[in-house]
Amino acid sequence: MSFHAIDAWWWPYLFIIVGGWLATDMWRFVGVYFGGKLAEDSELLVMVRCIATALVAAVIANLVIFPSGALAATPLWLRVGAGLAGFAAYLAAGKRVIVGIIAGELVLAGGMLL
Amino acid sequence: MDATDGNTAETTGSRRYWLLRGVRSAFSIPGLILASAFVGFAGLARDAGLTLAQTVFMTGIVWALPAKVVLVGAVIAGNSLPAAAFAVALSSVRLAPMVVALTPEMRTPKTPAWVLYLLSHFVAVTSWVLAMEQFRLVPRPMRTTFYAGLGGTLVLGNMLVVAVVFIVAGRLPPPVSAALFFLTPMYFLTSLWGSARERAGQVAMVFGLVLGPVFHLLTPDFDLLAAGLSAGVAAYGVHLIGKRRRKA
């Protein structure tokens, strides 16, 4: 039952609707329904935020460590180095996301040119 | 009813004004950064074997970028639909408290519920941050209009960005595509750290970065769920221990 499991035009869309839209918008609707009833700093929400953050971080690390496509042709040390350099630049610039992205990309591009 | 809202003709006129103000707010530094992240996402989705139509459809209907990156991650890993939906649902729980915080800010006693449910679809990190920042400059009865302009522009604009990049991506030289693929991790690496509301979020991020690849090697079928749950719960444990220590 994976994304490429059923060879029909509608299957990927059903996969996106159930796995993407339903799984995401249900939380937005829950948010409207409970608007104001949930305390932002409740302990349950702290744990929920931790799991959500860790999940996205896991995806990010996998994109850097086990990339596909053109990025796979670059050496592992360069990808990790560019990520760390971009993150360091982000912190040094007072947490400016745009600085981190540009710095990381420059290190990656520099490494590919060498 | 406040005094500025008395005249009907004036209200209709200013409704268009506030809609356009919302549209204009989308063209900002956070909006530009988001567009760059979507440039990366288009490359990622193309590489995962999605078609142009599927990618643009996913952009509009899911909207939250972390959810989409997790979904495409599950597609690449060949995960089943229930596993993919569960992982995406876990990554999207954070939207509920965001909507809980935003809704009271733009609701008036006259706002129909369907408007709030419809607008909640636009909630993702960037539009939420921009709205929370600018609502104080917008008269309360105009806030739903303002947010419709802001959120609608971000969603439609990035659907366009994704479509264009998807078409162009196949013709790019490999180093340029490599740089393009690197945009998504770079965007989240920095913005996740900044959006963490407590130290525990940053601990969770570090644990997730380390455990993601580890579980990818150990349990390729459930790597995201296993890494997210174990790293997240571990970070929450650290948070509880720290809290107890501060109290003692």
Side-chain angles (χ1 to χ4, degrees), chain A:
Chain A
M1 290 285 276
S2 71
F3 188 77
H4 299 292
I6 299 175
D7 192 20
W9 72 267
W10 49 265
W11 170 249
Y13 291 94
L14 188 70
F15 195 96
I16 293 168
I17 288 171
V18 175
W21 173 73
L22 200 64
T24 304
D25 260 4
M26 66 178 193
W27 296 116
R28 295 186 175 111
F29 297 162
V30 163
V32 175
Y33 185 79
F34 284 104
K37 290 182 195 167
L38 262 172
E40 274 265 318
D41 55 353
S42 82
E43 283 296 306
L44 180 67
L45 285 183
V46 174
M47 185 161 82
V48 159
R49 277 198 295 266
C50 281
I51 293 173
T53 304
L55 197 70
V56 177
V59 177
I60 294 317
N62 285 345
L63 287 178
V64 173
I65 308 287
F66 310 104
S68 49
L71 203 53
T74 60
L76 175 66
W77 62 265
L78 176 61
R79 297 191 300 267
V80 174
L84 289 175
F87 188 72
Y90 157 80
L91 289 182
K95 297 192 178 180
R96 303 244 301 274
V97 173
I98 192 98
V99 174
I101 293 177
I102 292 172
E105 288 286 351
L106 283 179
V107 171
L108 185 77
M112 283 191 290
L113 288 176
L114 286 178

Side-chain angles (χ1 to χ4, degrees), chain B residues 29-77:
Chain B
I29 293 288
L32 183 76
I33 294 170
L34 183 67
S36 79
F38 271 97
V39 168
F41 170 73
L44 179 72
R46 189 180 213 282
D47 208 55
L50 272 72
T51 65
L52 169 66
Q54 288 159 8
T55 308
V56 174
F57 177 71
M58 190 192 282
T59 303
I61 204 165
V62 179
W63 181 228
L65 196 54
K68 287 201 292 286
V69 171
V70 171
L71 186 59
V72 172
V75 168
I76 294 173

Side-chain angles (χ1 to χ4, degrees), chain B residues 212-238:
Chain B
V214 171
F215 278 105
H216 184 79
L217 296 172
L218 293 179
T219 57
D221 292 337
F222 300 100
D223 55 344
L224 297 182
L225 284 180
L229 283 172
S230 55
V233 171
Y236 182 68
V238 172

